[in-house]
Amino acid sequence: MRLKLRRGRVVSVERRGPVAECTVEVGGERRPAVSYTALTGPVEAGDDVVVNVAARDLGLGSGGFDIVHVNLTRGLEGEGIPGAHVMKLNYTSLQHAVEPVEERAGAVEPDGEPAEAAQEGARRVGPVAVIALHGQLPCVAWEAARRAPGARIGYVQTTGGALPGELSRTVAELRGRGLLAGHVTAGAAFGAEHEAISTAGAIDAGFRALGWDACIAGPGPGILGSATRLGHGGLAALDTAHAALALGCPTIVVPRMSSGDPRERHRGLSHHTATVLELLLAPAIVALPGGADVELPGRHEVREAAVDLDGYRSSGLPARTMGRGIDEDELFFRSALAGGAVLGEEIDGLRADR
């Protein structure tokens, strides 16, 4: 049996919302837990629950909590979304029906051409910045918004990291500040404002149905890894970049770089990004901070950009990666900000062409 499930009792609920943070007593031990209320319903102190304890027991850095699998007290009355017919987490015990955002982008006409977008004036394509880690997201969004004021920039959450869309406080903050115009969870990821069956469908619908000017696409918090060339969540960027290129979008790879990671394979240009650049079937734009001394694999277009590191530092947005702050890993933040700068330049270029 691979599911590590235990029965417990909710002792307290410290934070309510789409992700309820609580304390659950399991086998006499009080443990932190989260409950995705959109899936398993509201949670209150005293509830009898079943929790998945696998990540906390393994001591995973990004999974130091248990997850409520089912609320036996008040979670057995769910009805789902009326009329929804496409399953997420399909053929698992957590499968649930959603309304795919692809349908809002229009059906296919009998001649094979896509129908008109649902939103008047929506773009067919726009620039896509492909990130490797969720920690790059606030840097890219902040710098892009600074370079292209008023632009509608959306976020497509892919596989490679956490799957629940509600888990990211960063997304909530960026949405609250107006730095992101929308959030779509694609493929196995779930729980955002909009759901997509595929990453390509999410990107396409972002431009044609949601009215985005640009898109940032990449994994949720945390990342999967095995210290091998191909066995890591960063490789999701390969599929994302291919989807964006196939749709005709200017595609910007935001490289994972580090000056502070103790692991040699991530110093300078991370092997995660190097592998993606090696395997890409078509050239992409690679954003680099000004003066970066790095040799890139493949025949890609390098764009260097000056960045405002001090401005980001004072923005109040998240400024830590893998437990390190800006002063401990300046290159990580400069590289991510360069991705936002190039994305902003691409947005302005498309505006000028209109």
Side-chain angles (χ1 to χ4, degrees):
M1 179 178 178
R2 297 184 181 181
L3 285 179
K4 199 169 183 182
L5 302 176
R6 300 291 184 270
R7 192 160 182 162
R9 181 180 61 84
V10 178
V11 176
S12 62
V13 180
E14 290 82 29
R15 180 188 176 101
R16 288 174 170 79
V19 181
E21 298 176 8
C22 48
T23 299
V24 176
E25 186 175 290
V26 179
E29 179 189 1
R30 294 193 172 193
R31 301 163 61 103
V34 299
S35 178
Y36 298 111
T37 57
L39 279 182
T40 57
V43 61
E44 298 292 343
D47 285 358
D48 189 16
V49 296
V50 174
V51 292
N52 188 314
V53 299
R56 179 167 171 79
D57 282 1
L58 283 173
L60 298 180
S62 59
F65 46 81
D66 296 333
I67 300 171
V68 174
H69 182 70
V70 60
N71 188 328
L72 299 172
T73 300
R74 65 187 74 246
L76 303 180
E77 305 296 331
E79 296 294 339
I81 300 174
H85 60 93
V86 171
M87 304 302 277
K88 285 273 182 125
L89 302 179
N90 42 312
Y91 298 99
T92 74
S93 65
L94 294 176
Q95 67 180 356
H96 57 281
V98 300
E99 298 172 307
V101 72
E102 287 96 336
E103 291 182 346
R104 292 184 57 180
V108 176
E109 302 288 8
D111 61 4
E113 291 298 316
E116 288 302 310
Q119 180 162 320
E120 185 178 352
R123 303 188 64 87
R124 283 297 178 92
V125 296
V128 177
V130 180
I131 59 175
L133 284 175
H134 197 66
Q136 295 173 307
L137 175 63
C139 300
V140 176
W142 180 83
E143 187 69 38
R146 195 172 73 89
R147 301 292 181 109
R152 290 179 52 81
I153 302 170
Y155 169 51
V156 170
Q157 183 176 329
T158 69
T159 57
L163 297 178
E166 305 101 319
L167 186 62
S168 174
R169 294 182 180 178
T170 296
V171 171
E173 183 170 3
L174 293 173
R175 289 288 283 124
R177 291 196 185 197
L179 296 175
L180 286 180
H183 179 200
V184 179
T185 36
F190 66 93
E193 301 159 57
H194 305 284
E195 303 277 9
I197 297 171
S198 69
T199 298
I203 294 170
D204 176 67
F207 292 123
R208 296 205 303 118
L210 303 180
W212 295 352
D213 298 306
C215 171
I216 305 169
I223 191 167
L224 305 175
S226 64
T228 62
R229 180 170 180 264
L230 300 177
H232 56 80
L235 208 62
L238 179 66
D239 297 332
T240 303
H242 280 150
L245 288 165
L247 291 170
C249 301
T251 303
I252 304 154
V253 174
V254 183
R256 176 179 178 178
M257 304 181 75
S258 176
S259 54
D261 199 306
R263 298 164 294 181
E264 185 62 31
R265 64 184 182 272
H266 291 305
R267 293 294 288 266
L269 181 70
S270 168
H271 80 103
H272 283 192
T273 298
T275 301
V276 168
L277 295 177
E278 289 169 9
L279 296 179
L280 268 172
L281 298 177
I285 301 165
V286 182
L288 292 176
D293 183 16
V294 59
E295 184 175 343
L296 300 177
R299 299 178 180 178
H300 304 290
E301 177 188 347
V302 174
R303 295 261 195 96
E304 290 195 2
V307 300
D308 185 3
L309 192 64
D310 288 335
Y312 183 78
R313 192 195 308 270
S314 63
S315 70
L317 289 169
R320 297 191 71 77
T321 176
M322 305 291 181
R324 300 183 297 274
I326 291 178
D327 294 332
E328 299 163 294
D329 202 342
E330 184 176 304
L331 183 57
F332 176 88
F333 293 92
R334 290 180 60 233
S335 175
L337 289 167
V342 174
L343 181 61
E345 292 169 0
E346 285 292 317
I347 296 169
D348 275 348
L350 288 173
R351 283 172 170 174
D353 290 341
R354 278 186 166 182

